[in-house]
Amino acid sequence: MCHSTPAANSGPVWSPDDKKKPSPANPDGAKNIYRPDILETIESKIAELDAELRALSLDIHAHPELMFEEHHAHDVLTAFMIKHGFEVEKHYHLDTAWKATFSHGSGGKFNDVQMDALKGIGHACGHNLIAIAGVAVACAIKSAIEKFSISGTVLLLGTPAEEGGSGKVVLLKKDAYKDMAACLMCHPAPGPIGSVSLSSCLALQRIEVEYFGHTAHAALSPWEGINALDAAVLGYNNISALRQQLRPTHRVHGIFEGRDWAPNSQAYFNHDVKSCFVRAPTRAEAEATVKRVVPCFNAAGLATGCEVKVHVGGSVYDLRQNKALGGEVANIILSKYGDIDYEWGIKKLPSLHPGFAIPTILNGGNHTPGFEKAAATVEAHYACLDVSKALAATGVRVLIDDEFMAEVKRTFEEDQ
């Protein structure tokens, strides 16, 4: 996941060279699946859409777009949803966000999808797979609603800018998730063959630091300059020293970006360390670590004579997997499709965001060129469809099983 904690893997990571195929870890559990007739309808619908979903995934993968620029993905995904009978609102609150709705009577609403790529390495986090998973889940639930005359609403949100722009947070603040009963999505990652992970995800706090120096001629009069690059390097090194005193579960990382740079100037007038991320298991822990990181930047400015501006930007909560939703998905996966890595999302409503394993090369995890290639494989496609079936069946149960929904709400409130 894009800011995940490692799952406690139950086996070796799935490799492209593996001949073994995903298989259910507990096939005898199939007799305990809730409404197997509904699951059969879901499986049939997703099988029917298989070729279309594969083409959609490869189309998005072949057209990587950065945060808030997902225009092609917006257009092809909304066209797909219109074709399959959903009412679609394009450019929903944001230019590349969208909403697709299907209603039959009244009832719960849920589902989510993300679409953006990574700078320089395309869909190296597999958002093409996340996109088709959301589409598959929504269409499968719609099929079950129609066949069994279930009262409810499925709402699919196209959410841009997961990679750095917190598109979901923006939409949450604009009430896009208002009145949703639950939110379901998934994310590809390395893992054992056919496994689904119910691990958490680190909270994140963004920091941007600007150092303002003074240019001078590098050969003629370097003593007249104030070197903003030196300040940035010192700030980076201060954080490297701080890491020894940070807990192993905390992360601090960032990049340098310069403005008006030139090799024959001893100092750069304006040098940024942008998109410095502080991560920790909880938001409270992340905020506590930020208080230790900011003095590292200020000290670098003091040592070099640079003016310092520290901007503490947006943050996101740690992911909270809803236990009731997760338990339902786990039962279906174990009984029908694969295995589970246990390690017990959106803080505002009950949610589930499982990871699902796809075949990856050694050191080819998320945000690498190897993962970008893995996200386009047929094995990744079918792993995505399997977890989509489990999510869709769980979503239908949210709509029709009042006792189950009460348990979903109880576990959500217990986790606050």
Side-chain angles (χ1 to χ4, degrees):
M1 275 158 263
C2 294
H3 45 281
S4 65
T5 53
N9 285 339
S10 57
V13 171
W14 191 359
S15 163
D17 298 327
D18 287 326
K19 304 302 181 187
K20 183 181 177 182
K21 301 297 183 183
S23 60
N26 181 31
D28 291 340
K31 61 181 179 293
N32 297 319
I33 288 177
Y34 178 81
R35 292 291 302 270
D37 55 336
I38 290 177
L39 181 57
E40 288 173 9
T41 298
I42 286 166
E43 290 177 324
S44 176
K45 185 62 181 180
I46 289 178
E48 176 190 320
L49 294 174
D50 181 3
E52 285 186 77
L53 291 169
R54 177 70 172 151
L56 180 63
S57 173
L58 293 178
D59 187 3
I60 295 170
H61 187 275
H63 297 88
E65 299 164 300
L66 301 183
M67 58 180 180
F68 298 119
E69 297 176 2
E70 308 94 336
H71 301 288
H72 179 79
H74 171 280
D75 292 346
V76 297
L77 285 162
T78 54
F80 191 101
M81 299 311 291
I82 291 168
K83 176 184 176 183
H84 289 280
F86 284 75
E87 181 180 332
V88 171
E89 187 173 343
K90 299 181 180 181
H91 315 298
Y92 183 62
H93 292 303
L94 297 169
D95 191 39
T96 54
W98 51 272
K99 179 176 76 170
T101 308
F102 174 80
S103 294
H104 183 266
S106 61
K109 304 176 183 178
F110 42 90
N111 228 4
D112 206 350
V113 58
Q114 56 199 48
M115 311 166 288
D116 57 325
L118 287 153
K119 192 173 184 179
I121 49 176
H123 275 292
C125 210
H127 291 191
N128 59 303
L129 297 172
I130 298 172
I132 67 159
V135 167
V137 171
C139 289
I141 293 174
K142 174 179 178 285
S143 179
I145 286 174
E146 291 174 322
K147 180 171 181 176
F148 297 99
S149 193
I150 295 168
S151 180
T153 297
V154 55
L155 189 158
L156 183 62
L157 282 180
T159 56
E162 190 276 341
E163 299 290 357
S166 296
K168 289 179 178 59
V169 176
V170 176
L171 290 171
L172 187 67
K173 290 178 178 178
K174 293 178 180 290
D175 290 332
Y177 292 87
K178 187 179 179 182
D179 300 326
M180 278 195 183
C183 185
L184 304 172
M185 63 176 296
C186 57
H187 203 301
I193 293 174
S195 67
V196 168
S197 169
L198 295 169
S199 61
S200 183
C201 209
L202 299 176
L204 179 148
Q205 177 70 64
R206 294 180 178 85
I207 304 174
E208 179 179 300
V209 182
E210 292 182 275
Y211 290 107
F212 297 91
H214 178 67
T215 56
H217 195 285
L220 183 64
S221 51
W223 55 86
E224 293 179 357
I226 299 174
N227 197 328
L229 179 57
D230 281 346
V233 171
L234 281 176
Y236 184 92
N237 289 337
N238 288 344
I239 290 171
S240 295
L242 174 66
R243 284 195 183 97
Q244 181 176 262
Q245 278 73 48
L246 295 178
R247 293 182 180 274
T249 51
H250 293 211
R251 309 279 187 269
V252 184
H253 39 259
I255 59 171
F256 296 166
E257 291 189 34
R259 297 175 188 167
D260 303 321
W261 284 14
N264 62 346
S265 292
Q266 180 263 348
Y268 312 115
F269 172 75
N270 195 352
H271 182 89
D272 284 13
V273 181
K274 299 189 72 173
S275 298
C276 177
F277 290 173
V278 176
R279 307 181 196 259
T282 67
R283 188 169 179 177
E285 290 179 84
E287 289 171 348
T289 299
V290 166
K291 292 178 182 178
R292 302 180 68 186
V293 168
V294 169
C296 293
F297 293 126
N298 289 329
L302 182 65
T304 56
C306 288
E307 179 188 351
V308 186
K309 289 185 179 179
V310 178
H311 313 275
V312 178
S315 60
V316 294
Y317 283 102
D318 47 301
L319 178 66
R320 302 290 183 87
Q321 306 280 22
N322 182 272
K323 290 185 180 180
L325 295 172
E328 182 70 7
V329 165
N331 181 53
I332 297 170
I333 292 293
L334 289 166
S335 302
K336 296 282 290 183
Y337 310 120
D339 206 348
I340 294 290
D341 277 350
Y342 282 103
E343 204 180 301
W344 320 92
I346 294 175
K347 290 273 290 186
K348 297 294 185 181
L349 72 158
S351 57
L352 192 70
H353 188 152
F356 63 94
I358 66 173
T360 54
I361 61 172
L362 183 65
N363 298 323
N366 299 64
H367 292 208
T368 67
F371 200 85
E372 189 268 346
K373 292 182 174 61
T377 61
V378 69
E379 291 84 2
H381 173 72
Y382 285 114
C384 176
L385 296 192
D386 280 347
V387 73
S388 298
K389 296 166 193 172
L391 288 170
T394 301
V396 174
R397 188 168 186 182
V398 167
L399 291 177
I400 65 177
D401 187 342
D402 292 340
E403 287 187 12
F404 177 68
M405 188 57 201
E407 181 65 8
V408 169
K409 290 179 179 177
R410 187 192 68 77
T411 55
F412 169 71
E413 290 164 1
E414 188 180 76
D415 197 35
Q416 297 308 296

